[in-house]
């Protein structure tokens, strides 16, 4: 960490401090919102004292943070990897009913705190990003960042291009309006998509790009225009592509891919620091902590 990160605040040196929920997210415990929920539930303590206040700040170098009695450590550097999720796995790190989860497919023992960025339905296949960087994960999913997720959908019925117009304009679902989506009909699956949908008579293949992430959104959008989804696959998440990664396999992101992800979200840490917000020192310290 640079001397500039330890800024002067008042009459003395500002330590390596940040808000507790930011620390928990950066440590890979949960997303920022999930970390706030842990705090308000009374599951987080600082130096042995339960910390429920969302404005709580900690000294990263000195304070002892625990969640459910287990100490949370500041990671040396964050981890980023992609999984080609197969069908039949829940996008969660544990399931009380004992069903298969994506946690079985990624190296959780090697990278404690690893969590999925967003989710894919149990029967949906494709690119699922994992990280221990809660800030980046939250930024990638926020609709304001406009990070596109690309899906291929095999749908029931012979669809015409005209029937996609409501999706392009932004149709309304039962939980509110959708933002306009880019979509088109395809004759065949792109060779690098990583799936093997087989079109038969009476089905259609649709490619759709969205930057929201509501539950079952693509399935509900296509269902709303009377073409139920038979199979769904995500070949791309923002600038990331599966590029031949086998189903059920994972790999760490390359530096160029991580740089492209940060560019896609406008590097929110750097942007927040430029704006001089109340977490200016937090942002600078976090940026130093995530540099690899």
């Amino acid at each position: 960490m640079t001397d500039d990160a330890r800024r002067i605040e008042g009459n003395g040196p500002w330590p390596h401090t940040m808000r507790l929920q930011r620390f928990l997210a950066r440590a890979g415990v949960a997303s920022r919102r999930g970390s706030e929920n842990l705090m308000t539930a009374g599951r987080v303590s600082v130096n042995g004292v339960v910390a429920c206040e969302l404005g709580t700040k900690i000294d990263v170098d000195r304070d002892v943070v625990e969640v459910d009695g287990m100490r949370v450590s500041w990671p040396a550097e964050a981890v980023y990897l992609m999984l080609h999720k197969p069908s039949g796995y829940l996008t969660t790190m544990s399931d009380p009913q004992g069903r298969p989860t994506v946690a079985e497919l990624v190296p959780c023992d090697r990278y404690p705190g690893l969590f999925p960025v967003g989710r894919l339905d149990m029967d949906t296949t494709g690119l699922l990003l994992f990280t221990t960087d809660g800030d980046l994960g939250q930024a990638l999913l926020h609709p304001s960042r406009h990070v596109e997720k690309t899906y291929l959908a095999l749908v029931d019925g012979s669809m015409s291009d005209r029937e996609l117009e409501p999706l392009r304009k932004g149709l309304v679902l039962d939980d509110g309006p959708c933002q306009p989506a880019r979509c088109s009909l395809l004759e065949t699956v792109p060779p690098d998509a990583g799936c093997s949908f087989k079109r038969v008579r009476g089905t259609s293949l649709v490619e759709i790009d969205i930057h929201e992430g509501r539950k079952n959104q693509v399935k509900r959008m296509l269902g709303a225009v009377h073409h139920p989804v038979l199979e769904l696959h995500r070949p791309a998440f923002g600038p990331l592509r599966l590029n031949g990664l086998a189903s059920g396999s994972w790999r760490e992101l390359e530096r160029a891919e991580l740089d492209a992800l940060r560019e896609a979200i406008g590097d929110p840490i750097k942007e927040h620091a430029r704006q001089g917000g109340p977490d200016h020192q937090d942002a600078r310290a976090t940026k130093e902590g995530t540099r690899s």
Side-chain angles (χ1 to χ4, degrees):
M1 182 169 53
T2 65
D3 291 338
D4 185 52
R6 296 180 181 274
R7 296 175 55 87
I8 301 298
E9 180 76 3
N11 297 320
W14 186 262
H16 189 181
T17 62
M18 65 176 57
R19 292 187 180 181
L20 181 53
Q21 58 264 46
R22 177 186 285 273
F23 170 83
L24 293 172
R26 175 62 184 84
V29 172
S31 67
R32 185 82 64 83
R33 181 169 296 179
S35 297
E36 292 176 350
N37 292 338
L38 289 173
M39 291 172 63
T40 56
R43 297 171 59 185
V44 182
S45 66
V46 179
N47 300 326
V49 179
V50 173
C52 298
E53 294 294 329
L54 298 183
T56 300
K57 286 195 173 187
I58 64 161
D59 183 333
V60 173
D61 300 321
R62 300 186 180 185
D63 290 330
V64 176
V65 178
E66 295 178 319
V67 176
D68 295 335
M70 300 292 291
R71 184 164 181 172
V72 178
S73 299
W74 178 257
E77 60 181 50
V79 175
Y80 310 87
L81 59 86
M82 71 166 69
L83 168 73
H84 185 163
K85 177 191 172 297
S87 180
Y89 289 83
L90 290 173
T91 303
T92 182
M93 301 308 284
S94 63
D95 180 60
Q97 300 180 39
R99 292 171 293 182
T101 73
V102 292
E104 301 169 26
L105 304 174
V106 293
C108 298
D109 292 342
R110 189 187 311 177
Y111 303 124
L114 201 63
F115 67 90
V117 179
R119 66 188 300 275
L120 293 175
D121 293 339
M122 191 169 191
D123 60 347
T124 300
T125 61
L127 198 160
L128 187 60
L129 178 66
F130 285 78
T131 185
T132 57
D133 185 344
D135 286 333
L136 181 72
Q138 179 170 310
L140 285 169
L141 294 177
H142 200 284
S144 67
R145 298 292 176 181
H146 302 287
V147 178
E148 285 191 339
K149 279 82 73 176
T150 301
Y151 292 87
L152 294 175
L154 183 68
V155 303
D156 186 35
S158 297
M159 197 172 193
S160 67
D161 186 75
R162 178 178 55 82
E163 292 177 283
L164 292 173
E165 280 305 306
L167 282 69
R168 296 175 179 138
K169 293 178 179 178
L171 51 72
V172 178
L173 299 177
D174 55 5
D175 57 351
C178 294
Q179 296 185 25
R182 291 194 300 125
C183 46
S184 58
L185 290 172
L186 301 180
E187 289 297 325
T188 59
V189 175
D192 61 348
C195 68
S196 55
F197 292 169
K198 294 182 179 179
R199 285 187 57 198
V200 297
R201 180 171 301 198
T203 65
S204 303
L205 183 63
V206 180
E207 182 177 72
I208 178 168
D209 296 311
I210 62 172
H211 53 262
E212 299 171 281
R214 286 185 268 170
K215 185 176 182 180
N216 298 325
Q217 183 173 345
V218 172
K219 292 178 179 178
R220 291 191 293 142
M221 290 171 70
L222 289 164
V225 293
H226 311 296
H227 288 281
V229 171
L230 303 174
E231 295 185 73
L232 188 63
H233 176 78
R234 183 164 73 188
F237 185 116
L240 303 180
R241 301 291 184 272
L242 284 172
N243 287 337
L245 184 65
S247 178
S249 299
W250 64 270
R251 67 169 177 82
E252 292 189 40
L253 298 191
E254 299 175 358
R255 171 54 68 92
E257 292 173 319
L258 181 55
D259 289 345
L261 273 183
R262 293 197 179 281
E263 184 177 350
I265 59 177
D267 198 347
I269 296 174
K270 186 183 297 182
E271 178 181 317
H272 196 86
R274 280 201 307 269
Q275 294 172 352
D279 272 344
H280 181 72
Q281 292 85 2
D282 290 0
R284 293 300 301 269
T286 302
K287 183 64 174 176
E288 288 295 321
T290 56
R291 187 173 296 158
S292 58

